[in-house]
Amino acid sequence: MWKPDRQSKKPLYEQIADHLEQRISYGEFPPGSLLPSERKLAEQLDVNRSTVILAFAELRSLGIIESRSGSGTRVSQYKWGATPKHTPNWKRYAEGGSFLPNVPFLRRIREALNQNPTLVDFASGELSADLAPMDEIAALMRGHHYTSYLGYDNPQGYIPLRQALEKYLAKYRDIQTTESSILITSGSQQSLFLITQCLLSPGDAVAIEDPSYCYSLPMFQSAGLRLFRLPVDRDGVQPEEIRNLYKKHRIKMIFTNPNFQNPTGTVLNDERRNKLLEIATELGLPIVEDDPYSLTDYAGVPRPPLKSMDTTGSIIYIGSFSKIAASGLRIGWMVAPNSIVERLADARQQMDFGLSVIPQQVAAQFLKSEHFEPHLDRLRMQLLYKRDLLIEALQKELPDLIQFNIPQGGHHMWCKLVPGVNDAKLLEESIKNGVVFVPGSVYGSDSGYVRFTFARAKAEDIGPGIAGFAKALRELIH
């Protein structure tokens, strides 16, 4: 985000006025559009409100903006020519369409991080730079010359990557498949998007876990799907409720994250795995298994996926590099019956003509390299270290105010607050105290739960971050 240059000889208010005039001339703020309030703009630019007041006064004197009591400050309708021009109502367009925006809490967290990158980040679901195999990938890129034709690739994805994934899935996940049943995507979210848009219809009912990462994705509502919840406890999702949901609502698909579930960190036990598969095959229901965290098992013995037990072809299995290597590669995959893969590959080709071949080449080389297993070992060790730092901080700062189960893998700590507090107020107070997290209600839970993601924060920031959260919580309680 742009900030005024405090070393410049030009006064801050003039810099702000010039910057706003430029953005207005570029059409970012069309005639008649509302500008940010003086207070909000001052916070964003880290200046006194009086500085923004002077900048607005400068623009008003030029006729570029106009202010009315109770209506805020708007771009002038008539500055841009003698005859009034009719500008599209961009606000109406931005609020329209069938694809819904992210939920307000997630937008607020993103806004806060953009405004203040120094916040301790317990919200973002990606690896910190020190956990990603940056040196290994850099070495691979230096050692390989990617000289193949840089045209549109196979719509299912780069063939050598699919072949590498075929071996990876057999070795690490006990999934037997072929390259023709693998679709390369930009990550788990694109996989879910393709499934909800192409395999289901508006009005269809689906079952998701409660709480669930799926609940935080508006793409389900954008597709017009009806969501019904399957309760999750310490042993994972409770599959018996599936029969009731099928009988009452004719659910068409089940979405599950059985290993180190997001957000709770739970693992589906063996008895429930068998029951879930039994019920799904009995009713002829497909299961979408999202498996991003299995290889982070701290004991180094990853739980098998449901897909490894699938003898009837009932499971669509999705995974990605984002949670175990590098989110910036934007590499995910889906294993499904070939007819489904071809259908979704056709749809994805209409969206973007396929992914860039270069990150696919890098991912293929990394999977086959001698670096992959040592990276996984280091990742598990460092995630365990960060988890233990988080536990230590929670026990020190909030010994009587928070409850949690200790996860044995994954990136998340799911916590229940003993005192009842308002999610929105707690988030805002935490931001003031230098930390962000995700309120549990984002994932469908009642107010009073929080998800701390410890993979993104630096190890040295975990203690101070929890101290900031504890201060925010106590200020609300008292």
Side-chain angles (χ1 to χ4, degrees):
M1 173 178 282
W2 178 86
K3 294 284 180 69
D5 181 3
R6 297 181 182 274
Q7 307 304 316
S8 172
K9 294 181 179 180
K10 179 181 283 192
L12 294 180
Y13 81 91
E14 288 187 13
Q15 294 182 51
I16 295 170
D18 290 346
H19 177 68
L20 288 173
E21 183 178 3
Q22 184 182 62
R23 294 180 69 184
I24 290 168
S25 69
Y26 289 167
E28 292 184 38
F29 295 109
S33 63
L34 187 67
L35 292 175
S37 69
E38 295 165 352
R39 187 181 305 278
K40 184 171 184 179
L41 195 57
E43 290 177 357
Q44 290 176 351
L45 301 180
D46 194 23
V47 297
N48 292 327
R49 186 180 176 187
S50 59
T51 304
V52 176
I53 291 173
L54 287 173
F56 277 10
E58 179 79 6
L59 294 173
R60 269 195 300 272
S61 71
L62 299 173
I64 293 173
I65 63 174
E66 51 194 30
S67 301
R68 293 181 182 177
S69 179
S71 299
T73 301
R74 296 181 181 273
V75 178
S76 173
Q77 288 275 15
Y78 307 112
K79 169 66 180 175
W80 313 102
T83 305
K85 301 292 193 296
H86 295 287
T87 302
N89 187 338
W90 290 119
K91 183 174 185 293
R92 184 180 301 167
Y93 282 100
E95 293 173 350
S98 60
F99 197 77
L100 300 174
N102 267 318
V103 296
F105 276 139
L106 296 182
R107 296 203 303 273
R108 177 66 183 108
I109 290 166
R110 185 174 58 210
E111 177 189 44
L113 288 169
N114 285 337
Q115 291 176 3
N116 184 6
T118 65
L119 291 173
V120 179
D121 186 358
F122 289 128
S124 301
E126 62 177 335
L127 298 175
S128 58
D130 61 307
L131 298 186
M134 298 174 68
D135 292 340
E136 295 90 331
I137 288 177
L140 287 172
M141 295 184 73
R142 287 193 300 268
H144 292 81
H145 299 286
Y146 301 108
T147 56
S148 59
Y149 171 59
L150 295 179
Y152 296 131
D153 194 39
N154 187 299
Q156 280 186 225
Y158 183 54
I159 291 176
L161 175 56
R162 286 190 279 136
Q163 291 170 339
L165 280 168
E166 179 184 341
K167 294 177 181 177
Y168 158 84
L169 290 167
K171 178 178 180 179
Y172 291 97
R173 308 309 299 124
D174 195 23
I175 294 174
Q176 307 302 318
T177 188
T178 64
E179 65 185 68
S180 62
S181 292
I182 297 175
L183 173 68
I184 306 300
T185 68
S186 65
S188 295
Q189 287 199 201
Q190 188 181 61
S191 297
L192 291 171
F193 178 81
L194 290 169
I195 290 168
T196 57
Q197 290 291 324
C198 302
L199 305 186
L200 296 164
S201 301
D204 282 350
V206 299
I208 65 170
E209 296 164 331
D210 177 24
S212 170
Y213 175 68
C214 289
Y215 193 84
S216 71
L217 300 175
M219 69 174 70
F220 285 82
Q221 290 89 341
S222 297
L225 303 178
R226 294 178 295 139
L227 304 181
F228 295 95
R229 306 184 194 183
L230 297 171
V232 172
D233 61 21
R234 291 188 178 188
D235 293 317
V237 71
Q238 300 174 31
E240 288 294 348
E241 184 63 20
I242 293 172
R243 285 196 178 92
N244 294 330
L245 293 180
Y246 182 77
K247 183 177 180 180
K248 292 179 181 178
H249 306 289
R250 285 295 185 265
I251 58 171
K252 285 198 168 184
M253 196 171 281
I254 303 165
F255 290 81
T256 185
N257 171 199
N259 290 330
F260 310 121
Q261 194 250 10
N262 185 4
T264 65
T266 57
V267 175
L268 187 63
N269 70 21
D270 291 341
E271 180 182 351
R272 291 187 181 182
R273 286 170 189 260
N274 291 324
K275 180 60 70 174
L276 176 58
L277 288 172
E278 175 190 323
I279 294 172
T281 53
E282 173 191 322
L283 299 175
L285 289 174
I287 297 173
V288 176
E289 179 183 14
D290 190 6
D291 188 28
Y293 302 109
S294 286
L295 294 188
T296 65
D297 188 303
Y298 306 144
V301 186
R303 280 32 173 211
L306 291 172
K307 184 65 178 173
S308 67
M309 305 164 61
D310 181 20
T311 59
T312 59
S314 300
I315 296 177
I316 296 176
Y317 178 86
I318 60 179
S320 82
F321 266 170
S322 296
K323 309 306 180 187
I324 60 170
S327 56
L329 282 176
R330 305 312 305 137
I331 297 294
W333 52 86
M334 182 189 309
V335 180
N338 180 251
S339 59
I340 297 299
V341 167
E342 290 181 348
R343 167 72 177 98
L344 300 186
D346 176 77
R348 213 274 307 283
Q349 190 175 34
Q350 296 178 52
M351 296 166 56
D352 57 16
F353 275 97
L355 305 174
S356 168
V357 71
I358 295 175
Q360 293 185 79
Q361 291 173 336
V362 173
Q365 290 293 337
F366 183 54
L367 276 177
K368 295 184 291 185
S369 76
E370 61 184 11
H371 303 300
F372 186 65
E373 286 198 25
H375 162 69
L376 288 180
D377 291 339
R378 180 171 63 90
L379 174 65
R380 294 183 189 112
M381 180 177 66
Q382 292 182 328
L383 283 173
L384 177 60
Y385 174 61
K386 287 188 175 185
R387 184 208 69 175
D388 289 346
L389 287 176
L390 179 60
I391 293 171
E392 181 182 347
L394 290 172
Q395 291 173 339
K396 174 185 176 183
E397 302 290 346
L398 297 160
D400 301 318
L401 298 178
I402 203 164
Q403 299 170 348
F404 54 86
N405 295 319
I406 297 177
Q408 301 305 312
H411 298 182
H412 312 298
M413 184 82 75
W414 182 244
C415 302
K416 178 177 174 56
L417 304 178
V418 175
V421 292
N422 179 276
D423 280 352
K425 291 181 179 179
L426 180 58
L427 178 60
E428 290 301 326
E429 200 63 39
S430 295
I431 291 171
K432 292 177 185 177
N433 283 279
V435 61
V436 289
F437 64 94
V438 182
S441 57
V442 168
Y443 305 107
S445 286
D446 295 332
S447 181
Y449 287 85
V450 298
R451 190 197 76 174
F452 293 118
T453 298
F454 47 86
R456 183 69 179 87
K458 295 178 182 177
E460 62 267 26
D461 290 339
I462 290 176
I466 294 301
F469 175 84
K471 182 180 178 183
L473 179 60
R474 288 197 172 90
E475 286 174 352
L476 286 181
I477 295 172
H478 302 302

